[in-house]
Amino acid sequence: MHLFRYVGKNLFCEGVSVDSLAKKFGTPLYVYSQATLEDHFQKLDSALAPLDHLICFAMKANSNLSVMRTLANRGSGFDVVSAGELQRVIAAGGDPKKCVFAGVAKSEKEIEFALQKGIYSFNCESEPEILRINKVAARLKKRAPIAVRINPNVSAKTHSKITTGTYENKFGIQFEHVEAIYARASKLKNIWLRGVQMHIGSQLTDVTPYELAVKKVLPLVKKLAANYKLEFFSPGGGLGIIYNPALASGSNEWWQSKAAKGILTPAVYAEKLLPLLKPLGLKILIEPGRFIVGNAGALVTQVEYVKRTGKKNFVIVDAAMNDLIRPAFYDSYHEIVPLVKKGGVTVSSDVVGGICESGDYFCKDRPLAKVGEGDRLALLSAGAYGFVMASNYNTRPLAVEVLVSGKKFAVARERQKVKDIWAGEKVVAWLK
Ligand SMILES: *Cc1c(COP(=O)(O)O)cnc(C)c1O
């Protein structure tokens, strides 16, 4: 469920007309729905209620402070992948004690910072990393809580750039090596074996790969938990969302419909996984990013030109791949809708940005309502891996972000000023 929908001809985010926001703040503009964030968090939290559990929002999906605070206020922890993200948790008012630290390249400095802040667990991706954590913890006279990220070698059957749980990927520790690593790690004086973790990939819309992976690791998890008195198990994040049709899937009726059957909802997730997880008697962590924030955000853009060539109808907009790279990077689909419906004919269109890259497009040959210069469009489901992946390519400032709650709205991040783009740069002395 999400709260981008038409009221008459106007697209609304909760109780606010998106077009009124575009007029007020300009474009490109990211709009987030607070109630949608809360709803998604709550649905997962309720589905996991029978378990002692903690949701750690994978903040790499969206690390805006207001988005994070919305979730922290609901009790969310965070999955961080850098010391910078952990500093953001603190800036957003989150609790480092509810944070897990993932990632294959943790530096000594990052480990030290996370230890000092008292994070819940390091999710370790290699043996050298465990040795390094032990060394840093010894220096600080601490015991570092860790979990090993198991790579179960189960394909998530998702896009190759977001599958992580097979031996083709750099992530986690090979299933067959895990037991021996726990045995060796248990001898390290400054390591506290606290849990076991896995994460098989992103945008999973079918529960089967989760089930297969959990079933595969379960006997091992039980054994490790018994041998080392582990406290938690995490089956990771990766719950997928509906990108197409995003608008329809925002309604409760859609979720009752035939099209929604078999979709990975929190209820389906719980139905299949709770019977496997509950008997473990461990605390269960999950680390969803996209599921919570994906459908809670839209990127709003204005049409600069419509350009017809022999074959194509190009709708050239003021947002570009530097604002939202997912179509270029992952071939991903975002539903594109007008802020104000006009009706009339549809035209097969390519919606493209202004950057000098052929990859700079949002859709190709898609039937869209006919638009003209000055019309505004929303790219839906842009809340996850949208703004966080934005860049200043072509010296384009980062977009403004606005949070909506009911009829209220406020800037959650100001539009970047052009001169701030080169703030740290210098013309070196000998050139002057
Ligand atoms: C990216 C990531 C997640 C979140 O993935 P989503 O698909 O956004 O849920 C969770 N855990 C780890 C280790 C990750 O790298």
Side-chain angles (χ1 to χ4, degrees):
M1 213 255 332
H2 64 78
L3 291 166
F4 287 90
R5 51 189 57 163
Y6 282 102
V7 177
K9 288 186 183 328
N10 280 283
L11 186 70
F12 269 65
C13 173
E14 302 194 25
V16 178
S17 137
V18 179
D19 205 44
S20 71
L21 294 175
K23 282 183 185 136
K24 194 167 171 66
F25 300 109
T27 51
L29 154 74
Y30 274 96
V31 180
Y32 305 122
S33 155
Q34 183 181 327
T36 305
L37 292 168
E38 290 169 339
D39 176 71
H40 291 169
F41 182 84
Q42 210 53 53
K43 282 206 167 85
L44 268 182
D45 209 32
S46 312
L48 299 175
L51 303 168
D52 174 16
H53 70 278
L54 176 66
I55 299 174
C56 292
F57 172 60
M59 61 178 284
K60 73 176 193 282
N62 188 321
S63 56
N64 180 281
L65 297 183
S66 289
V67 168
M68 292 176 61
R69 174 63 77 92
T70 298
L71 299 170
N73 284 349
R74 295 263 153 164
S76 184
F78 297 92
D79 176 302
V80 309
V81 291
S82 70
E85 284 198 344
L86 187 54
Q87 288 178 63
R88 256 185 195 277
V89 169
I90 296 162
D95 182 358
K97 295 188 178 56
K98 290 184 179 174
C99 286
V100 291
F101 192 162
V104 297
K106 302 172 189 87
S107 72
E108 280 206 29
K109 268 199 170 144
E110 289 182 310
I111 292 165
E112 181 170 335
F113 181 69
L115 272 172
Q116 277 162 344
K117 294 298 166 196
I119 63 160
Y120 182 76
S121 178
F122 291 90
N123 291 340
C124 299
E125 311 232 14
S126 67
E127 196 160 13
E129 179 191 330
I130 299 173
L131 294 174
R132 182 182 284 184
I133 293 173
N134 183 56
K135 190 178 81 180
V136 178
R139 177 150 50 76
L140 299 180
K141 300 192 170 51
K142 288 183 186 292
R143 283 186 84 206
I146 72 155
V148 165
R149 174 171 175 177
I150 306 180
N151 183 332
N153 200 22
V154 168
S155 169
K157 298 206 167 49
T158 178
H159 190 276
S160 67
K161 283 188 184 153
I162 50 176
T163 188
T164 61
T166 77
Y167 293 166
E168 301 292 311
N169 309 118
K170 69 183 174 189
F171 301 103
I173 289 175
Q174 205 172 317
F175 181 75
E176 294 80 3
H177 298 170
V178 171
E179 218 178 323
I181 288 192
Y182 273 82
R184 291 197 287 276
S186 71
K187 302 209 167 70
L188 300 172
K189 270 175 48 197
N190 295 83
I191 290 291
W192 165 19
L193 294 171
R194 195 170 197 178
V196 197
Q197 199 261 354
M198 67 175 198
H199 173 69
I200 56 174
S202 197
Q203 183 53 14
L204 274 79
T205 49
D206 175 6
V207 75
T208 313
Y210 277 115
E211 249 189 304
L212 290 175
V214 171
K215 279 186 179 154
K216 178 163 177 186
V217 302
L218 219 51
L220 177 61
V221 172
K222 279 184 195 154
K223 201 164 159 190
L224 295 171
N227 285 352
Y228 303 107
K229 298 197 173 53
L230 303 184
E231 183 177 302
F232 79 94
F233 171 59
S234 164
L239 282 90
I241 62 166
I242 307 302
Y243 283 98
N244 182 14
L247 204 61
S249 67
S251 70
N252 281 324
E253 300 78 66
W254 189 87
W255 286 101
Q256 319 294 333
S257 75
K258 232 174 155 180
K261 296 282 175 283
I263 296 283
L264 182 50
T265 59
V268 169
Y269 183 83
E271 181 193 319
K272 298 291 183 192
L273 295 190
L274 251 47
L276 301 174
L277 298 176
K278 179 96 179 143
L280 281 174
L282 296 174
K283 180 170 176 144
I284 301 297
L285 264 63
I286 60 167
E287 296 114 24
R290 188 191 314 268
F291 175 81
I292 288 178
V293 79
N295 285 331
L299 172 61
V300 179
T301 185
Q302 180 163 318
V303 177
E304 294 286 4
Y305 300 100
V306 177
K307 176 171 166 178
R308 271 172 249 280
T309 65
K311 282 191 175 158
K312 293 272 198 178
N313 184 55
F314 288 107
V315 176
I316 304 170
V317 296
D318 67 357
M321 65 187 285
N322 74 297
D323 300 298
L324 177 67
I325 204 171
R326 298 189 65 257
F329 198 21
Y330 309 112
D331 312 305
S332 53
Y333 181 99
H334 287 273
E335 194 168 353
I336 302 177
V337 297
L339 299 196
V340 183
K341 268 198 229 171
K342 286 203 288 197
V345 291
T346 60
V347 188
S348 175
S349 305
D350 286 23
V351 177
V352 302
I355 289 179
C356 313
E357 298 276 351
S358 302
D360 183 24
Y361 63 87
F362 293 126
C363 72
K364 285 189 168 170
D365 301 316
R366 195 184 296 176
L368 290 178
K370 196 171 173 185
V371 289
E373 214 174 297
D375 286 342
R376 285 184 279 265
L377 302 168
L379 286 94
L380 301 178
S381 315
Y385 308 105
F387 184 90
V388 283
M389 285 189 171
S391 78
N392 288 128
Y393 191 34
N394 284 208
T395 306
R396 292 165 54 92
L398 300 178
V400 56
E401 294 176 285
V402 168
L403 186 72
V404 171
S405 173
K407 288 189 183 334
K408 287 184 298 196
F409 57 84
V411 170
R413 180 186 172 115
E414 287 171 13
R415 185 180 304 286
Q416 189 179 28
K417 293 189 178 61
V418 171
K419 67 173 175 24
D420 290 341
I421 298 176
W422 59 81
E425 287 175 49
K426 289 180 175 59
V427 176
V428 300
W430 68 79
L431 294 173
K432 290 183 193 164

